[in-house]
Amino acid sequence: MAVVEERYVAPRVNVVERENEVVIEAELPGVSREQAEIEVREGTLYLKAHARAIGGGGTEGAYRVQERPGASYYRSFKLGDTIDPAKIEARLQDGVLTLTLAKSDKFKPRAIVVN
Amino acid sequence: MGSLIRNRSRVAPWALPWGMPEEFNQLWQEFNGPLGWIEQSSASPAMDVRETPEAFIIEADVPGMKKEEVHIEVADNVVTLKGERWGQREENKKDYHLAERQVGSFRRSVAIPGGFEAGKVSAKFEHGVLTITLPKPEEKKPRKIEVRVE
Protein backbone atom coordinates (compact mmCIF):
# COMPACT_ATOMS: atom_id res chain seq x y z
CA MET A 1 0.00 0.00 0.00
CA ALA A 2 1.31 3.39 -0.92
CA VAL A 3 1.78 5.88 1.86
CA VAL A 4 0.79 9.34 0.78
CA GLU A 5 2.85 11.88 2.61
CA GLU A 6 1.44 15.35 2.87
CA ARG A 7 3.94 18.16 2.99
CA TYR A 8 2.96 21.65 4.05
CA VAL A 9 4.65 24.91 3.24
CA ALA A 10 3.84 28.23 4.92
CA PRO A 11 2.83 30.74 2.27
CA ARG A 12 4.50 34.15 2.21
CA VAL A 13 2.19 36.80 3.64
CA ASN A 14 1.85 40.52 4.06
CA VAL A 15 -0.25 41.71 6.99
CA VAL A 16 -1.33 45.34 6.97
CA GLU A 17 -3.32 47.08 9.66
CA ARG A 18 -5.60 49.89 8.66
CA GLU A 19 -7.93 52.05 10.72
CA ASN A 20 -10.94 49.74 10.53
CA GLU A 21 -9.48 46.47 9.32
CA VAL A 22 -6.53 44.13 9.06
CA VAL A 23 -5.66 42.79 5.62
CA ILE A 24 -3.76 39.54 5.10
CA GLU A 25 -2.39 38.79 1.62
CA ALA A 26 -1.13 35.24 1.20
CA GLU A 27 0.68 33.93 -1.88
CA LEU A 28 -0.88 30.68 -3.05
CA PRO A 29 0.33 30.21 -6.62
CA GLY A 30 -1.40 27.35 -8.42
CA VAL A 31 -4.32 27.23 -5.98
CA SER A 32 -7.87 27.60 -7.26
CA ARG A 33 -10.82 28.87 -5.24
CA GLU A 34 -12.10 25.36 -4.55
CA GLN A 35 -8.75 24.30 -3.12
CA ALA A 36 -8.49 27.06 -0.50
CA GLU A 37 -9.87 26.33 2.97
CA ILE A 38 -10.29 29.06 5.55
CA GLU A 39 -11.59 28.42 9.03
CA VAL A 40 -11.89 30.47 12.20
CA ARG A 41 -11.83 28.46 15.39
CA GLU A 42 -11.37 29.71 18.97
CA GLY A 43 -9.84 33.00 17.98
CA THR A 44 -7.45 31.56 15.41
CA LEU A 45 -7.74 31.75 11.64
CA TYR A 46 -6.53 28.64 9.81
CA LEU A 47 -5.55 28.81 6.18
CA LYS A 48 -5.05 25.62 4.24
CA ALA A 49 -4.79 24.88 0.54
CA HIS A 50 -4.74 21.24 -0.38
CA ALA A 51 -2.93 19.43 -3.15
CA ARG A 52 -2.07 22.42 -5.23
CA ALA A 53 -2.46 22.24 -8.94
CA ILE A 54 1.02 21.96 -10.36
CA GLY A 55 0.12 24.30 -13.18
CA GLY A 56 -1.50 24.31 -16.55
CA GLY A 57 0.89 21.93 -18.27
CA GLY A 58 0.22 18.74 -16.32
CA THR A 59 2.98 16.80 -14.63
CA GLU A 60 4.39 14.62 -17.40
CA GLY A 61 8.06 14.63 -18.27
CA ALA A 62 11.25 14.58 -16.26
CA TYR A 63 12.05 17.44 -13.89
CA ARG A 64 15.28 19.18 -14.87
CA VAL A 65 14.84 21.95 -12.32
CA GLN A 66 12.46 21.86 -9.36
CA GLU A 67 12.32 24.93 -7.16
CA ARG A 68 8.61 25.31 -6.58
CA PRO A 69 7.51 23.79 -3.28
CA GLY A 70 4.99 21.43 -4.90
CA ALA A 71 3.14 20.95 -1.65
CA SER A 72 0.06 22.02 0.23
CA TYR A 73 -0.01 25.34 2.04
CA TYR A 74 -0.79 25.83 5.69
CA ARG A 75 -0.62 28.77 8.08
CA SER A 76 -2.56 30.01 11.10
CA PHE A 77 -3.05 33.48 12.53
CA LYS A 78 -4.02 34.37 16.10
CA LEU A 79 -6.73 36.96 15.78
CA GLY A 80 -6.81 38.85 19.09
CA ASP A 81 -9.75 40.75 20.55
CA THR A 82 -9.86 43.57 18.03
CA ILE A 83 -11.05 41.35 15.17
CA ASP A 84 -14.72 40.53 14.69
CA PRO A 85 -14.68 36.84 13.60
CA ALA A 86 -18.06 37.25 11.91
CA LYS A 87 -16.73 39.90 9.56
CA ILE A 88 -13.99 38.23 7.55
CA GLU A 89 -13.99 38.40 3.77
CA ALA A 90 -11.84 36.31 1.45
CA ARG A 91 -10.93 36.82 -2.19
CA LEU A 92 -8.58 34.76 -4.34
CA GLN A 93 -7.13 36.24 -7.49
CA ASP A 94 -4.04 35.38 -9.55
CA GLY A 95 -2.74 33.08 -6.83
CA VAL A 96 -3.04 35.66 -4.03
CA LEU A 97 -5.57 35.22 -1.24
CA THR A 98 -6.70 38.49 0.32
CA LEU A 99 -8.41 38.22 3.69
CA THR A 100 -10.06 41.37 5.01
CA LEU A 101 -10.68 41.20 8.74
CA ALA A 102 -12.91 43.94 10.08
CA LYS A 103 -12.18 45.28 13.55
CA SER A 104 -14.87 45.02 16.21
CA ASP A 105 -16.93 48.18 16.49
CA LYS A 106 -15.67 48.88 20.00
CA PHE A 107 -12.08 49.01 18.74
CA LYS A 108 -12.75 51.30 15.81
CA PRO A 109 -11.70 54.91 16.27
CA ARG A 110 -14.66 57.06 17.12
CA ALA A 111 -15.01 60.83 17.17
CA ILE A 112 -16.81 62.20 20.19
CA VAL A 113 -18.81 65.30 19.67
CA VAL A 114 -18.48 67.94 22.36
CA ASN A 115 -21.83 69.30 23.35
CA MET B 1 56.55 38.66 -18.48
CA GLY B 2 56.24 36.98 -15.11
CA SER B 3 53.13 38.96 -14.25
CA LEU B 4 51.49 37.91 -17.48
CA ILE B 5 51.85 34.25 -16.59
CA ARG B 6 50.40 34.83 -13.14
CA ASN B 7 47.48 36.57 -14.71
CA ARG B 8 46.89 33.73 -17.05
CA SER B 9 46.98 31.13 -14.29
CA ARG B 10 44.35 33.13 -12.44
CA VAL B 11 42.08 33.02 -15.48
CA ALA B 12 42.59 29.37 -16.29
CA PRO B 13 40.56 27.77 -13.43
CA TRP B 14 37.64 30.01 -14.34
CA ALA B 15 37.42 28.67 -17.86
CA LEU B 16 38.02 25.11 -16.74
CA PRO B 17 37.09 24.41 -13.11
CA TRP B 18 40.12 23.35 -11.08
CA GLY B 19 42.18 22.97 -14.22
CA MET B 20 40.64 19.62 -14.96
CA PRO B 21 40.77 18.00 -18.37
CA GLU B 22 38.05 18.94 -20.83
CA GLU B 23 36.33 15.55 -20.61
CA PHE B 24 35.91 15.87 -16.89
CA ASN B 25 34.52 19.35 -17.27
CA GLN B 26 31.83 18.03 -19.56
CA LEU B 27 31.04 15.27 -17.14
CA TRP B 28 30.78 17.76 -14.32
CA GLN B 29 28.32 19.83 -16.33
CA GLU B 30 26.23 16.80 -17.11
CA PHE B 31 26.17 15.82 -13.48
CA ASN B 32 24.88 19.26 -12.57
CA GLY B 33 22.11 19.07 -15.12
CA PRO B 34 21.94 20.12 -18.72
CA LEU B 35 20.36 23.52 -18.15
CA GLY B 36 22.35 26.68 -17.76
CA TRP B 37 21.26 29.46 -15.42
CA ILE B 38 22.43 32.66 -16.89
CA GLU B 39 21.33 35.18 -14.32
CA GLN B 40 18.80 35.81 -11.62
CA SER B 41 17.89 38.38 -8.99
CA SER B 42 16.38 38.13 -5.51
CA ALA B 43 12.81 38.80 -6.63
CA SER B 44 13.06 36.00 -9.20
CA PRO B 45 10.13 33.61 -9.20
CA ALA B 46 10.59 29.96 -8.22
CA MET B 47 10.68 27.81 -11.34
CA ASP B 48 10.28 24.23 -12.42
CA VAL B 49 11.59 22.97 -15.75
CA ARG B 50 10.32 19.70 -17.16
CA GLU B 51 11.40 17.86 -20.27
CA THR B 52 9.01 15.70 -22.28
CA PRO B 53 9.88 13.95 -25.57
CA GLU B 54 8.26 16.84 -27.46
CA ALA B 55 9.05 19.94 -25.43
CA PHE B 56 10.56 21.73 -22.47
CA ILE B 57 7.98 23.16 -20.06
CA ILE B 58 8.81 26.02 -17.70
CA GLU B 59 6.49 26.84 -14.80
CA ALA B 60 7.09 29.93 -12.70
CA ASP B 61 5.26 31.08 -9.56
CA VAL B 62 4.24 34.67 -10.10
CA PRO B 63 1.38 35.21 -7.62
CA GLY B 64 -0.32 38.58 -7.86
CA MET B 65 1.22 39.47 -11.19
CA LYS B 66 -0.85 40.36 -14.22
CA LYS B 67 -0.32 38.91 -17.66
CA GLU B 68 0.88 42.29 -18.92
CA GLU B 69 3.50 42.57 -16.17
CA VAL B 70 5.50 39.52 -17.23
CA HIS B 71 7.64 39.66 -20.36
CA ILE B 72 9.00 36.61 -22.12
CA GLU B 73 11.81 36.89 -24.64
CA VAL B 74 13.30 34.10 -26.70
CA ALA B 75 16.58 34.25 -28.58
CA ASP B 76 19.34 31.76 -29.44
CA ASN B 77 18.09 28.83 -27.33
CA VAL B 78 17.60 31.13 -24.33
CA VAL B 79 14.31 32.09 -22.67
CA THR B 80 14.30 35.25 -20.59
CA LEU B 81 11.62 36.12 -18.07
CA LYS B 82 11.38 39.73 -16.98
CA GLY B 83 9.04 41.61 -14.73
CA GLU B 84 8.43 43.81 -11.75
CA ARG B 85 6.63 42.50 -8.72
CA TRP B 86 4.14 44.39 -6.60
CA GLY B 87 4.96 48.01 -6.81
CA GLN B 88 1.64 48.88 -5.19
CA ARG B 89 2.78 49.08 -1.58
CA GLU B 90 1.05 52.32 -0.72
CA GLU B 91 0.98 52.37 3.04
CA ASN B 92 3.43 53.29 5.74
CA LYS B 93 5.94 50.71 6.83
CA LYS B 94 4.68 50.89 10.40
CA ASP B 95 1.25 49.62 9.31
CA TYR B 96 2.81 46.33 8.20
CA HIS B 97 2.89 43.57 10.76
CA LEU B 98 4.46 41.24 8.22
CA ALA B 99 5.92 41.96 4.78
CA GLU B 100 7.22 38.71 3.36
CA ARG B 101 6.11 39.07 -0.24
CA GLN B 102 9.02 39.75 -2.57
CA VAL B 103 9.24 43.09 -4.31
CA GLY B 104 11.48 44.43 -7.02
CA SER B 105 12.29 43.71 -10.60
CA PHE B 106 13.63 40.41 -11.80
CA ARG B 107 15.23 39.04 -14.89
CA ARG B 108 15.96 35.40 -15.33
CA SER B 109 17.27 33.47 -18.30
CA VAL B 110 17.28 29.76 -18.95
CA ALA B 111 19.39 28.17 -21.68
CA ILE B 112 17.60 25.19 -23.21
CA PRO B 113 19.97 22.44 -24.34
CA GLY B 114 19.32 21.51 -27.94
CA GLY B 115 17.21 24.59 -28.45
CA PHE B 116 13.52 24.96 -29.33
CA GLU B 117 11.24 26.16 -32.11
CA ALA B 118 11.18 29.87 -31.26
CA GLY B 119 8.16 30.46 -33.50
CA LYS B 120 6.05 27.84 -31.71
CA VAL B 121 6.59 28.91 -28.09
CA SER B 122 3.33 29.27 -26.18
CA ALA B 123 2.56 30.67 -22.72
CA LYS B 124 -0.35 30.39 -20.31
CA PHE B 125 -1.24 32.28 -17.16
CA GLU B 126 -3.37 30.62 -14.49
CA HIS B 127 -3.81 31.07 -10.72
CA GLY B 128 -0.56 33.02 -10.49
CA VAL B 129 1.47 30.38 -12.34
CA LEU B 130 3.07 31.10 -15.70
CA THR B 131 3.53 28.06 -17.95
CA ILE B 132 5.76 28.33 -21.02
CA THR B 133 5.91 25.48 -23.53
CA LEU B 134 8.99 25.32 -25.75
CA PRO B 135 8.57 22.70 -28.48
CA LYS B 136 11.79 20.89 -29.41
CA PRO B 137 13.12 21.19 -32.94
CA GLU B 138 11.94 18.35 -35.21
CA GLU B 139 15.41 16.80 -35.44
CA LYS B 140 15.72 16.60 -31.64
CA LYS B 141 12.49 14.71 -31.11
CA PRO B 142 12.85 10.97 -30.51
CA ARG B 143 12.40 8.87 -33.63
CA LYS B 144 11.56 5.26 -33.91
CA ILE B 145 13.68 3.45 -36.46
CA GLU B 146 12.53 0.08 -37.61
CA VAL B 147 15.40 -2.33 -38.15
CA ARG B 148 14.58 -5.03 -40.59
CA VAL B 149 16.01 -8.43 -39.80
CA GLU B 150 16.87 -10.45 -42.87
Side-chain angles (χ1 to χ4, degrees), chain B residues 94-149:
Chain B
K94 66 174 175 60
D95 297 329
Y96 276 83
H97 293 279
L98 288 168
E100 298 168 351
R101 298 183 63 198
Q102 302 270 323
V103 286
S105 58
F106 65 84
R107 181 194 164 92
R108 193 165 183 188
S109 299
V110 188
I112 301 294
F116 51 85
E117 300 262 13
K120 292 183 187 161
V121 173
S122 61
K124 205 167 83 169
F125 215 84
E126 201 180 16
H127 304 311
V129 178
L130 175 72
T131 305
I132 309 170
T133 305
L134 308 145
K136 289 183 186 176
E138 261 336 294
E139 68 270 17
K140 297 277 177 186
K141 286 182 186 170
R143 274 183 305 155
K144 211 157 110 184
I145 298 163
E146 203 78 39
V147 178
R148 214 178 56 192
V149 182

Side-chain angles (χ1 to χ4, degrees), chain A residues 24-65:
Chain A
I24 301 174
E25 293 169 351
E27 293 189 346
L28 305 171
V31 170
S32 67
R33 221 169 43 183
E34 302 76 48
Q35 290 168 319
E37 284 174 42
I38 304 144
E39 193 189 359
V40 180
R41 197 167 4 105
E42 289 162 11
T44 302
L45 186 145
Y46 297 89
L47 165 60
K48 213 169 175 185
H50 265 298
R52 75 188 284 202
I54 307 252
T59 54
E60 79 279 6
Y63 279 89
R64 299 296 178 217
V65 177

Side-chain angles (χ1 to χ4, degrees), chain A:
Chain A
M1 201 173 81
V3 177
V4 179
E5 203 182 311
E6 218 167 354
R7 209 157 59 87
Y8 287 101
V9 176
R12 284 179 194 273
V13 296
N14 279 6
V15 179
V16 190
E17 184 166 353
R18 296 190 185 131
E19 203 173 88
N20 297 322
E21 63 196 17
V22 173
V23 178
I24 301 174
E25 293 169 351
E27 293 189 346
L28 305 171
V31 170
S32 67
R33 221 169 43 183
E34 302 76 48
Q35 290 168 319
E37 284 174 42
I38 304 144
E39 193 189 359
V40 180
R41 197 167 4 105
E42 289 162 11
T44 302
L45 186 145
Y46 297 89
L47 165 60
K48 213 169 175 185
H50 265 298
R52 75 188 284 202
I54 307 252
T59 54
E60 79 279 6
Y63 279 89
R64 299 296 178 217
V65 177
Q66 196 164 15
E67 297 171 351
R68 300 167 65 219
S72 299
Y73 294 102
Y74 176 79
R75 198 153 176 178
S76 64
F77 303 89
K78 197 115 190 88
L79 293 184
D81 303 329
T82 54
I83 300 299
D84 186 343
K87 288 184 189 164
I88 298 174
E89 277 173 34
R91 199 166 60 97
L92 182 65
Q93 198 180 4
D94 297 325
V96 177
L97 178 75
T98 306
L99 296 164
T100 307
L101 300 88
K103 288 185 187 173
S104 299
D105 285 332
K106 59 177 177 178
F107 288 98
K108 280 182 189 166
R110 190 160 57 98
I112 291 156
V113 180
V114 180
N115 292 314

Side-chain angles (χ1 to χ4, degrees), chain B residues 64-117:
Chain B
M65 290 190 81
K66 300 270 169 240
K67 216 161 52 183
E68 310 78 56
E69 294 170 334
V70 185
H71 302 281
I72 306 160
E73 283 172 12
V74 291
D76 302 330
N77 299 350
V78 174
V79 190
T80 302
L81 212 64
K82 286 195 291 189
E84 200 161 309
R85 298 179 111 178
W86 320 301
Q88 79 278 26
R89 194 174 286 189
E90 81 281 12
E91 277 130 316
N92 287 327
K93 272 210 176 95
K94 66 174 175 60
D95 297 329
Y96 276 83
H97 293 279
L98 288 168
E100 298 168 351
R101 298 183 63 198
Q102 302 270 323
V103 286
S105 58
F106 65 84
R107 181 194 164 92
R108 193 165 183 188
S109 299
V110 188
I112 301 294
F116 51 85
E117 300 262 13

Side-chain angles (χ1 to χ4, degrees), chain B residues 49-69:
Chain B
V49 182
R50 285 185 283 123
E51 183 181 357
T52 70
E54 286 79 34
F56 279 91
I57 297 154
I58 300 178
E59 285 160 318
D61 282 344
V62 286
M65 290 190 81
K66 300 270 169 240
K67 216 161 52 183
E68 310 78 56
E69 294 170 334

